[in-house]
Amino acid sequence: MDLYNLKDDSEKVSFTEAVLKGIGKNQGLFFPKHIEPLDESTLSWLYDLDLTERSYRILKHLIGDELPNLKAIVKDAFTFKAPLVKADENIYALELFHGPTLAFKDFGARFMARVLGSIREDKRLTILTATSGDTGAAVADAFYGQEGIDVVVLYPKGKISKLQEKMISTLGGNIKAVQIDGIFDECQDLVKTAFDDLEFKEKVGLNSANSINISRLLAQVCYYFEAIAQLPKEKRDKVVFSVPCGNFGNITAGLIAKALGVKCRFVVACNANDTIPRYLESGNFEPHETIATLSNAMDISRPNNWPRVEALFKMQNWSLKDLDYGSMSDEETKKAMVRLYEKTCYALEPHAAIAYDTLRNKIREGETGIFLGTAHPAKFKEDVDKIIGIDVNLPKVLKEKARLESLAYELKPDYNALKAYMLEVLKV
Ligand SMILES: *Cc1c(COP(=O)(O)O)cnc(C)c1O
């Protein structure tokens, strides 16, 4: 697979190089030079395969021969289902929350952990990642106990749910949780600064595992195919996916699936942090200050995958005018949760609720709507119980986590403090 740096196209890398580097020169993202579409007959054949077999074929098509054990990696990473569940008239939920940390990020993180484990050779690696909730949990779980790889997870203090925090901060061992006295964007800036500190980067073998890593994105391409495969054949040609967007990794993966031949269009669904919907409306890119909402994994005002979306549209000769969009306040989110539960007894957590309700507004005659269920309602139990008036059952893994003590360290949003902390705990 040939990739290039979106900020400096003289930097060209293979897939394994892109995974190891994470991010390129000048903080440029790596992106494929070309995406070869799958032909009709290959597509319909793929839809007949099961999730792991099909995902292996798709990833092999994208990545090529760089990973000799790709099949084993996919089998070991995708050990849970992604069921398509009817939620409303002509509207389905693609439930991506049946993995170990109950959010879609398990797909990307588990694939990435196994890819890195297989390509690192004897090099020591440190994963440094910023999370507004689910990434950290998924990454921590996916890498826990991996030989030769340490993980440092930064999250904004008090701005992620108690359960999310427990999933990140109770593992210990090679997983170091750090709560930052600030907001998510500051955590993300710390990560970027660390990557610019070349000496430090080299010393600890720094790698990012947030959605800027290309391996995560490619893993996520697979479940868009899984969604279509679960639809009856006659419904596969007119699909609209609604994606709850934060850093826009998930929707980038969907757009890659479209470039590969999946027949669908997309709706960008945002909370009040609506930089992209406003941009698509006006053509002006004007991020506001990030505000805290119920859907905290989407509280991002400068989505770091957006350059990839633009690059893909350019490469495919698509028009951004065809990208549908919407945004919702917390009040509207709550109403959507209540409305759907009263109608069909389908319980939504706030992220999925935004995707569902934006889809309901944007779906056209004759289309089948699929919104991405990005997290299990139990992950946001407090809010879901209060808003809908139910008592969501905590899955067993969460019950066990809830009882454990947090081992998180606390730091100000100051790069030098972070660096000193890391040098100490990583013993380098
Ligand atoms: C991360 C996350 C999102 C946003 O996904 P992006 O790929 O960052 O756009 C949406 N919902 C949930 C529950 C998440 O954890």
Side-chain angles (χ1 to χ4, degrees):
M1 180 178 209
D2 296 321
L3 301 109
Y4 72 103
N5 178 335
L6 287 179
K7 282 199 179 154
D8 177 355
D9 59 17
S10 70
E11 187 179 9
K12 298 183 170 67
V13 291
S14 66
F15 172 75
T16 50
E17 285 167 337
V19 174
L20 284 168
K21 285 190 171 162
I23 198 159
K25 283 180 212 152
N26 306 321
Q27 302 179 359
L29 304 174
F30 293 121
F31 204 66
K33 264 193 217 139
H34 172 72
I35 295 171
E36 183 65 28
L38 297 157
D39 59 51
E40 276 299 318
S41 63
T42 308
L43 271 174
S44 69
W45 171 77
L46 280 175
Y47 289 139
D48 286 339
L49 302 177
D50 68 21
L51 173 64
T52 48
E53 187 65 31
R54 182 189 325 105
S55 300
Y56 161 65
R57 308 279 169 159
I58 294 164
L59 290 165
K60 170 97 183 160
H61 172 83
L62 284 166
I63 296 168
D65 296 325
E66 286 182 57
L67 297 168
N69 56 343
L70 179 59
K71 194 167 192 165
I73 290 175
V74 173
K75 273 217 166 105
D76 196 35
F78 297 174
T79 49
F80 42 89
K81 295 208 166 3
L84 193 67
V85 177
K86 188 160 185 197
D88 198 353
E89 219 141 307
N90 300 323
I91 292 184
Y92 296 80
L94 179 64
E95 294 187 346
L96 300 172
F97 48 71
H98 297 287
T101 72
L102 309 177
F104 78 95
K105 292 187 172 89
D106 284 327
F107 281 92
R110 288 173 64 82
F111 180 67
M112 179 177 172
R114 283 149 186 83
V115 169
L116 266 186
S118 123
I119 65 180
R120 82 177 171 89
E121 295 173 341
D122 287 332
K123 200 170 165 353
R124 143 191 212 139
L125 294 175
T126 303
I127 308 292
L128 175 63
T129 191
T131 184
S132 54
D134 293 331
T135 299
V139 167
D141 189 89
F143 283 90
Y144 180 58
Q146 283 251 1
E147 187 88 24
I149 306 181
D150 286 296
V151 178
V152 177
V153 183
L154 310 183
Y155 60 91
K157 183 184 174 187
K159 297 199 171 60
I160 67 175
S161 83
K162 279 270 170 294
L163 278 169
Q164 282 177 325
E165 183 178 11
K166 289 278 166 100
M167 294 184 117
I168 297 164
S169 64
T170 60
L171 289 163
N174 64 327
I175 312 297
K176 325 285 181 202
V178 181
Q179 48 178 339
I180 299 293
D181 196 2
I183 61 168
F184 173 69
D185 288 2
E186 287 171 302
C187 298
Q188 193 152 279
D189 286 344
L190 285 171
V191 172
K192 285 185 178 165
T193 310
F195 275 87
D196 280 343
D197 183 345
L198 297 182
E199 197 193 322
F200 177 70
K201 185 178 167 191
E202 191 54 36
K203 200 167 184 176
V204 301
L206 215 54
N207 192 297
S208 82
N210 55 14
S211 58
I212 52 191
N213 195 290
I214 194 72
S215 60
R216 288 198 26 192
L217 279 188
L218 297 191
Q220 290 172 234
V221 170
C222 301
Y223 51 66
Y224 288 91
F225 286 82
E226 175 67 6
I228 304 283
Q230 291 177 60
L231 283 177
K233 285 203 172 65
E234 68 277 8
K235 289 191 173 177
R236 290 179 184 170
D237 281 350
K238 274 198 139 180
V239 171
V240 50
F241 282 105
S242 178
V243 185
C245 292
N247 260 324
F248 282 68
N250 213 357
I251 200 165
T252 304
L255 290 162
I256 293 174
K258 182 177 166 76
L260 286 171
V262 172
K263 292 194 193 62
C264 59
R265 65 181 190 96
F266 286 89
V267 180
V268 169
C270 286
N271 62 26
N273 297 288
D274 59 351
T275 306
I276 298 301
R278 284 185 292 105
Y279 171 65
L280 292 170
E281 180 74 30
S282 71
N284 301 323
F285 195 88
E286 294 172 324
H288 295 163
E289 196 154 325
T290 308
I291 45 180
T293 73
L294 285 171
S295 45
N296 61 36
M298 294 154 63
D299 290 350
I300 293 163
S301 52
R302 294 172 187 273
N304 62 13
N305 273 294
W306 183 253
R308 284 182 166 139
V309 174
E310 294 215 331
L312 189 54
F313 270 78
K314 213 184 241 169
M315 177 165 105
Q316 299 296 120
N317 272 320
W318 295 336
S319 165
L320 279 177
K321 291 198 178 67
D322 296 327
L323 187 57
D324 218 335
Y325 56 87
S327 62
M328 286 171 64
S329 65
D330 277 351
E331 279 317 304
E332 292 167 312
T333 307
K334 289 183 195 168
K335 273 192 197 135
M337 291 165 71
V338 171
R339 186 192 305 115
L340 187 62
Y341 194 78
E342 283 179 351
K343 188 170 173 194
T344 68
C345 285
Y346 191 86
L348 296 162
E349 52 72 41
H351 305 77
I354 290 175
Y356 158 73
D357 210 49
T358 310
L359 178 60
R360 202 176 57 89
N361 290 326
K362 298 292 177 179
I363 193 167
R364 298 173 190 155
E365 188 70 36
E367 281 183 333
T368 298
I370 299 176
F371 69 89
L372 270 48
T374 45
H376 194 294
K379 261 191 128 163
F380 298 89
K381 179 173 168 53
E382 267 171 55
D383 288 328
V384 174
D385 285 359
K386 201 162 63 197
I387 294 164
I388 308 184
I390 53 177
D391 183 11
V392 176
N393 217 2
L394 272 192
K396 206 166 134 238
V397 278
L398 277 190
K399 269 190 204 144
E400 284 161 9
K401 287 277 169 201
R403 281 199 289 268
L404 301 175
E405 280 299 314
S406 167
L407 304 166
Y409 196 76
E410 184 173 332
L411 286 173
K412 293 256 178 286
D414 169 39
Y415 177 63
N416 287 322
L418 174 66
K419 184 172 171 178
Y421 164 80
M422 285 178 67
L423 287 172
E424 192 187 321
V425 296
L426 301 174
K427 302 185 185 72
V428 285

